[in-house]
Amino acid sequence: MQASHLQFCFQLARGIAQQFGSNCEVVVHDLDSNDVEHSIVAIENGHVSGRRWEMAPPISCWRLCAATVPAWRTDWLI
């Protein structure tokens, strides 16, 4: 993802988190990345789930991404 697009997404995530408060977790994934294990590039209010930006996304996110991002390896998902 281009740096300008990432900057926009970071600002948008921060704005959404501020709008909805500290119990709203907002996560930005780089779906252009082939590194599924490290697709989270930003997270606001990560204390909600305990996730951090360097963590892998949950299985539900992988399934959603697999439906839209063919490069993500998903043959092991059932």
Side-chain angles (χ1 to χ4, degrees), residues 1 27-41 51 53 55-78:
M1 185 180 289
V27 181
V28 177
H29 291 269
D30 182 357
L31 300 182
D32 288 339
S33 171
N34 289 327
D35 186 3
V36 177
E37 294 288 329
H38 300 97
S39 68
I40 296 174
V41 293
R51 287 191 289 172
W53 66 269
M55 296 176 73
I59 192 79
S60 58
C61 181
W62 283 17
R63 289 179 187 207
L64 175 64
C65 293
T68 58
V69 183
W72 282 29
R73 182 176 167 259
T74 58
D75 56 336
W76 58 272
L77 294 175
I78 296 174

Side-chain angles (χ1 to χ4, degrees), residues 4-61:
S4 61
H5 292 155
L6 279 175
Q7 272 307 109
F8 172 77
C9 290
F10 296 160
Q11 292 173 357
L12 183 61
R14 179 161 292 155
I16 291 170
Q18 289 175 348
Q19 177 67 31
F20 292 102
S22 63
N23 289 323
C24 175
E25 182 176 272
V26 183
V27 181
V28 177
H29 291 269
D30 182 357
L31 300 182
D32 288 339
S33 171
N34 289 327
D35 186 3
V36 177
E37 294 288 329
H38 300 97
S39 68
I40 296 174
V41 293
I43 188 164
E44 294 289 331
N45 295 326
H47 65 275
V48 172
S49 68
R51 287 191 289 172
R52 296 179 312 276
W53 66 269
E54 69 274 7
M55 296 176 73
I59 192 79
S60 58
C61 181

